[in-house]
């Protein structure tokens, strides 16, 4: 399947200033992310940014980048602007890869993209949780699926709730129970991506602080690719950056 990867990258970061430009063995992080994306088989890789410093860094390493408005409320709105500017067809598949994922598995991008179809305008990924701490951590977003592998609901709560087992103990996960952790990687059919910013904000996403619930609330399906292993974590803090730097040597 042909797909385009668009990588939103804002210079401002509360916990890690100038994060996209952080040095990883001689290259800015945003360049490392684009290089990983290029291994996915994508037909095009484009960085969507609001700052000329990122644009210049990408140009210096042969990475296509596009300037966007600075006032987008989310990365999804930013990539929608770029997909429109690129003149992508309504049926084109666009993968939204965060600019702080320099260790992302390229195969995951391709797997997510392949879940898009005529009746499935959006896709994402998940993996099973085996740690009870993660299962009860509200910062670890969970998702439950239907028979066809489409999302029924996303939540910060522990879903599905193992009623009988948890009534006995919450010290461990019961046998055969592995809730799915949502991975924040998305693919869209471009016509839906263009319509998305106009969707009314839903009460569910406001309560849970999960933007993807807007899609379900409006009745649009989200296909979910389930992978066995957790992806390498992204970079949010100086500690994360130090850990990733050891990988690049």
């Amino acid at each position: 399947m042909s797909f385009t990867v668009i990588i939103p990258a804002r210079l401002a970061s509360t916990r890690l200033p100038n994060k996209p430009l952080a040095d990883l063995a001689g290259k800015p992080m945003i360049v490392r992310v684009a290089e990983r994306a290029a291994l996915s088989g994508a037909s095009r890789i484009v960085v969507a940014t609001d700052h000329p410093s990122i644009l210049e860094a990408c140009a210096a390493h042969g990475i296509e980048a596009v300037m966007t408005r600075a006032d987008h409320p989310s990365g999804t709105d930013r990539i929608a602007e770029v997909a429109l500017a690129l003149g992508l067809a309504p049926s084109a598949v666009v993968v939204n890869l965060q600019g702080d994922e320099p260790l992302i598995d390229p195969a995951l991008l391709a797997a997510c993209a392949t879940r898009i179809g005529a009746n499935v305008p959006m896709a994402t990924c998940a993996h099973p949780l085996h740690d009870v701490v993660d299962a009860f951590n509200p910062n670890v977003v969970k998702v439950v699926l239907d028979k066809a592998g489409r999302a029924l609901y996303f939540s910060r709560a522990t879903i599905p709730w193992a009623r009988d087992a948890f009534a006995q103990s919450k010290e461990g996960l019961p046998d055969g129970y592995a809730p799915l952790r949502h991975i924040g990687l998305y693919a869209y059919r471009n016509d839906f991506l263009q319509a998305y910013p106009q969707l009314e904000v839903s009460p569910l996403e406001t309560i849970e602080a999960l933007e993807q619930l807007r899609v379900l609330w409006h009745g649009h399906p989200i296909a979910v690719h389930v992978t066995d292993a957790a992806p390498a974590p992204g970079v949010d803090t100086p500690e994360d950056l130090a850990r990733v730097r050891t990988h690049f040597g």
Side-chain angles (χ1 to χ4, degrees):
M1 168 184 281
S2 175
F3 62 96
T4 298
V5 176
I6 302 181
I7 308 169
R10 292 177 63 248
L11 192 66
S13 174
T14 319
R15 289 182 286 181
L16 190 59
N18 300 330
K19 181 166 66 170
L21 300 178
D23 181 78
L24 294 178
K27 293 182 181 179
M29 177 160 37
I30 190 62
V31 171
R32 293 291 187 186
V33 175
E35 289 176 342
R36 291 294 286 177
L39 300 175
S40 68
S43 56
R44 194 172 185 181
I45 315 293
V46 184
V47 171
T49 185
D50 64 348
H51 202 281
S53 295
I54 297 175
L55 197 72
E56 291 165 10
C58 290
H61 291 86
I63 304 295
E64 184 178 5
V66 175
M67 283 290 291
T68 68
R69 290 174 13 218
D71 60 346
H72 284 301
S74 73
T76 311
D77 296 86
R78 193 175 306 282
I79 71 164
E81 180 190 344
V82 172
L84 183 64
L86 295 177
L88 299 181
S91 60
V93 176
V94 177
V95 173
N96 179 357
L97 172 62
Q98 296 306 307
D100 56 6
E101 301 276 356
L103 301 180
I104 190 73
D105 178 5
L108 200 59
L109 277 67
C112 189
T114 59
R115 296 303 304 271
I116 298 296
N119 299 313
V120 181
M122 182 172 169
T124 189
C125 301
H127 72 87
L129 285 172
H130 303 289
D131 187 322
V132 68
V133 174
D134 288 337
F136 287 101
N137 183 350
N139 294 316
V140 176
V141 177
K142 274 71 71 173
V143 59
V144 288
L145 311 183
D146 67 9
K147 182 180 178 181
R150 298 178 183 180
L152 288 169
Y153 192 66
F154 296 86
S155 182
R156 298 182 181 278
T158 307
I159 55 172
W161 183 258
R163 186 195 65 173
D164 295 342
F166 288 152
Q168 298 297 318
S169 171
K170 298 184 185 70
E171 297 300 313
L173 298 181
D175 291 342
Y177 172 81
L180 293 174
R181 175 199 170 213
H182 176 230
I183 300 169
L185 176 70
Y186 295 100
Y188 306 87
R189 199 175 60 226
N190 188 37
D191 56 355
F192 180 74
L193 177 61
Q194 298 305 319
Y196 180 90
Q198 278 70 55
L199 291 178
E200 177 189 356
V201 173
S202 76
L204 291 177
E205 72 176 288
T206 303
I207 293 168
E208 293 257 20
L210 296 174
E211 186 184 319
Q212 64 270 32
L213 287 173
R214 185 185 314 179
V215 177
L216 298 183
W217 190 78
H218 283 279
H220 302 288
I222 301 176
V224 181
H225 168 74
V226 178
T227 182
D228 292 334
V235 177
D236 289 317
T237 66
E239 293 76 19
D240 294 336
L241 181 60
R243 171 184 46 77
V244 168
R245 278 176 171 157
T246 63
H247 173 87
F248 286 97

